[in-house]
Amino acid sequence: MFGFGTTVDAEQIRSFNLWLDNQFNNYIFSNWFDKYVEEAYKKGLIRARNELIKAGYPVQKIDDINALLRSPQHLKMLNYLKESIVNELRGITDALKQQLNRVLSGSILAKENSKLIAKKLVAVINGKNAKQLGVTNTLGRFIPAKRRAELMARTETVRIHHLANIEEYSNAGVSGVRVMAEWVTAKDEKVCNICIEMEGKIFTLEKIAILIPVHVQCRCIALPIKVKKITNNK
């Protein structure tokens, strides 16, 4: 497994890191990655437009989502999101490499066989039998790479949806409508105290754009204030 023989040396560790880098680059620059971000963004645009209509703003339903996606404003946001997610993934990959190298180095010093080393490497990636194998980080805590990636994917999906919403709300504001955003939580037992405290609060688009997600796996959303409320505040 992982191409190791009965022993592991520094050259094999270097080769392994090169292989890991190649896997990461192939993943990032694949059509699948672009499709994932773009599809999430499209869903955010559709929801935002529907929320604006429900709130009474003078906007039309989306006729061509792909044409809307190609508008300069949305293309700029998409590029920003893709770059942001790439940097986040690089952080996970760097942490993974550090953990794998620590396991490999320790295994070399302990003269462990390749079968045990392979089990430890698998544990670093998916967490299976990690505790029994003594796989931890320098602080004695351990989150497998697979779990970190899952948490990041869920959180970044919320961010993509949220920023797509904000861009559409901003577009509605361009035609002379003052758009404010209201904070709304998922309203269930899983909502944290921080998010509960934000429920119903009103923010400018500029401010709320950087507030959601509040934390990993946050499910908060921003809704446009109804036109009637805006009129009464003028």
Side-chain angles (χ1 to χ4, degrees):
M1 189 176 292
F2 296 112
F4 298 132
T6 56
T7 60
V8 180
D9 56 28
E11 179 59 28
Q12 285 179 305
I13 294 176
R14 189 186 71 81
S15 296
F16 180 78
N17 283 327
L18 288 175
W19 173 83
L20 190 62
D21 286 338
N22 286 333
Q23 294 299 308
F24 171 78
N25 289 328
N26 289 337
Y27 172 79
I28 287 300
F29 296 111
S30 66
N31 291 331
W32 182 90
F33 176 77
D34 284 342
K35 184 177 180 181
Y36 161 76
V37 178
E38 290 173 9
E39 288 301 316
Y41 196 87
K42 287 179 184 178
K43 290 178 181 178
L45 291 180
I46 293 170
R47 197 203 80 185
R49 188 67 68 91
N50 290 337
E51 295 293 349
L52 285 165
I53 292 171
K54 286 194 296 183
Y57 290 91
V59 296
Q60 302 296 320
K61 288 187 176 180
I62 298 173
D63 293 325
D64 187 342
I65 186 63
N66 291 317
L68 180 61
L69 192 69
R70 290 192 295 270
S71 66
Q73 186 176 7
H74 290 308
L75 280 178
K76 181 178 179 180
M77 180 55 69
L78 265 176
N79 289 333
Y80 162 77
L81 285 167
K82 288 177 182 179
E83 183 178 351
S84 176
I85 294 173
V86 165
N87 289 335
E88 185 74 16
L89 285 170
R90 286 192 189 280
I92 292 178
T93 303
D94 288 344
L96 173 61
K97 285 170 63 177
Q98 184 179 33
Q99 183 73 5
L100 289 169
N101 285 328
R102 193 177 71 81
V103 168
L104 288 171
S105 299
S107 295
I108 291 172
L109 292 174
K111 297 182 180 180
E112 294 172 344
N113 61 50
S114 59
K115 187 175 181 179
L116 178 56
I117 293 173
K119 286 182 179 179
K120 287 187 174 183
L121 295 178
V122 170
V124 170
I125 296 170
N126 62 23
K128 186 177 181 180
N129 299 319
K131 186 174 181 180
Q132 294 90 327
L133 293 169
V135 176
T136 60
N137 61 18
T138 54
L139 298 177
R141 298 191 298 269
F142 175 69
I143 301 178
K146 182 180 179 181
R147 178 60 177 163
R148 283 193 64 190
E150 289 171 350
L151 293 175
M152 190 218 75
R154 292 174 187 172
T155 305
E156 290 306 311
T157 297
V158 170
R159 193 187 314 279
I160 293 169
H161 278 244
H162 173 63
L163 290 177
N165 293 166
I166 299 307
E167 288 301 304
E168 272 302 282
Y169 297 165
S170 177
N171 285 343
V174 170
S175 21
V177 179
R178 183 163 61 92
V179 181
M180 301 288 282
E182 181 179 10
W183 193 298
V184 180
T185 70
K187 293 184 173 66
D188 59 27
E189 68 282 355
K190 295 180 181 180
V191 178
C192 72
N193 291 333
I194 296 175
C195 293
I196 288 176
E197 290 180 3
M198 303 301 290
E199 174 77 29
K201 291 188 176 180
I202 299 172
F203 302 86
T204 63
L205 297 186
E206 182 179 3
K207 184 161 187 179
I208 203 168
I210 60 174
L211 293 179
I212 296 176
V214 182
H215 52 74
V216 174
Q217 299 194 93
C218 179
R219 296 172 297 151
C220 291
I221 59 174
L223 297 180
I225 299 299
K226 292 185 181 297
V227 172
K228 183 178 179 180
K229 292 184 181 180
I230 295 173
T231 302
N232 291 338
N233 287 336
K234 285 184 176 180

